[in-house]
Short mmCIF file of all heavy atoms in Angstrom, two decimals:
data_model
loop_
_atom_site.label_atom_id
_atom_site.label_comp_id
_atom_site.label_asym_id
_atom_site.label_seq_id
_atom_site.Cartn_x
_atom_site.Cartn_y
_atom_site.Cartn_z
N GLU U 166 -38.52 30.27 -44.05
CA GLU U 166 -37.26 29.71 -43.55
C GLU U 166 -37.47 28.57 -42.54
O GLU U 166 -36.59 28.27 -41.75
CB GLU U 166 -36.38 30.80 -42.91
CG GLU U 166 -35.95 31.88 -43.87
CD GLU U 166 -35.03 31.39 -44.96
OE1 GLU U 166 -34.11 30.62 -44.65
OE2 GLU U 166 -35.23 31.76 -46.13
N SER U 167 -38.64 27.93 -42.55
CA SER U 167 -38.93 26.83 -41.65
C SER U 167 -38.54 25.50 -42.31
O SER U 167 -37.95 25.47 -43.38
CB SER U 167 -40.41 26.84 -41.29
OG SER U 167 -40.68 25.88 -40.31
N LEU U 168 -38.91 24.39 -41.68
CA LEU U 168 -38.57 23.05 -42.15
C LEU U 168 -39.46 22.61 -43.31
O LEU U 168 -40.68 22.76 -43.25
CB LEU U 168 -38.73 22.07 -40.98
CG LEU U 168 -38.48 20.60 -41.26
CD1 LEU U 168 -37.02 20.34 -41.59
CD2 LEU U 168 -38.91 19.76 -40.08
N LEU U 169 -38.84 22.06 -44.36
CA LEU U 169 -39.58 21.45 -45.46
C LEU U 169 -39.53 19.93 -45.29
O LEU U 169 -38.50 19.38 -44.88
CB LEU U 169 -38.94 21.81 -46.81
CG LEU U 169 -39.11 23.23 -47.31
CD1 LEU U 169 -38.32 23.41 -48.60
CD2 LEU U 169 -40.56 23.57 -47.54
N VAL U 170 -40.64 19.26 -45.58
CA VAL U 170 -40.71 17.80 -45.49
C VAL U 170 -41.29 17.22 -46.77
O VAL U 170 -42.01 17.90 -47.50
CB VAL U 170 -41.56 17.33 -44.28
CG1 VAL U 170 -40.90 17.70 -42.98
CG2 VAL U 170 -42.96 17.86 -44.35
N GLU U 171 -40.97 15.95 -47.04
CA GLU U 171 -41.54 15.22 -48.17
C GLU U 171 -42.80 14.51 -47.71
O GLU U 171 -42.74 13.67 -46.82
CB GLU U 171 -40.55 14.19 -48.71
CG GLU U 171 -39.37 14.77 -49.40
CD GLU U 171 -38.43 13.70 -49.93
OE1 GLU U 171 -38.67 12.49 -49.69
OE2 GLU U 171 -37.45 14.07 -50.58
N LYS U 172 -43.93 14.83 -48.31
CA LYS U 172 -45.21 14.19 -48.00
C LYS U 172 -45.53 13.20 -49.11
O LYS U 172 -45.47 13.53 -50.28
CB LYS U 172 -46.34 15.21 -47.92
CG LYS U 172 -46.36 16.02 -46.67
CD LYS U 172 -47.02 15.24 -45.59
CE LYS U 172 -47.56 16.17 -44.52
NZ LYS U 172 -48.20 15.45 -43.49
N LYS U 173 -45.89 11.97 -48.75
CA LYS U 173 -46.28 10.96 -49.74
C LYS U 173 -47.80 10.96 -49.87
O LYS U 173 -48.51 10.85 -48.88
CB LYS U 173 -45.79 9.58 -49.32
CG LYS U 173 -44.30 9.44 -49.39
CD LYS U 173 -43.87 8.05 -49.05
CE LYS U 173 -42.36 7.95 -49.10
NZ LYS U 173 -41.88 6.62 -48.75
N THR U 174 -48.28 11.09 -51.11
CA THR U 174 -49.71 11.04 -51.40
C THR U 174 -49.93 10.09 -52.57
O THR U 174 -48.98 9.55 -53.13
CB THR U 174 -50.25 12.44 -51.77
OG1 THR U 174 -49.60 12.90 -52.95
CG2 THR U 174 -50.03 13.44 -50.65
N LYS U 175 -51.19 9.92 -52.94
CA LYS U 175 -51.51 9.06 -54.08
C LYS U 175 -50.95 9.61 -55.38
O LYS U 175 -50.62 8.86 -56.29
CB LYS U 175 -53.03 8.90 -54.20
CG LYS U 175 -53.64 8.10 -53.09
CD LYS U 175 -55.13 7.98 -53.25
CE LYS U 175 -55.74 7.23 -52.08
NZ LYS U 175 -57.20 7.16 -52.17
N LYS U 176 -50.81 10.93 -55.47
CA LYS U 176 -50.29 11.58 -56.67
C LYS U 176 -48.77 11.52 -56.75
O LYS U 176 -48.18 11.83 -57.77
CB LYS U 176 -50.74 13.03 -56.73
CG LYS U 176 -52.23 13.19 -56.91
CD LYS U 176 -52.60 14.64 -56.97
CE LYS U 176 -54.11 14.80 -57.10
NZ LYS U 176 -54.50 16.22 -57.12
N GLY U 177 -48.12 11.17 -55.67
CA GLY U 177 -46.67 11.12 -55.63
C GLY U 177 -46.12 11.78 -54.39
O GLY U 177 -46.84 12.04 -53.43
N VAL U 178 -44.85 12.10 -54.44
CA VAL U 178 -44.19 12.74 -53.30
C VAL U 178 -44.09 14.23 -53.59
O VAL U 178 -43.59 14.64 -54.64
CB VAL U 178 -42.78 12.16 -53.08
CG1 VAL U 178 -42.07 12.87 -51.95
CG2 VAL U 178 -42.87 10.67 -52.79
#
Side-chain angles (χ1 to χ4, degrees):
E166 298 294 316
S167 187
L168 177 68
L169 288 176
V170 293
E171 290 181 356
K172 284 278 203 180
K173 291 183 181 179
T174 62
K175 291 179 183 177
K176 294 181 182 178
V178 177

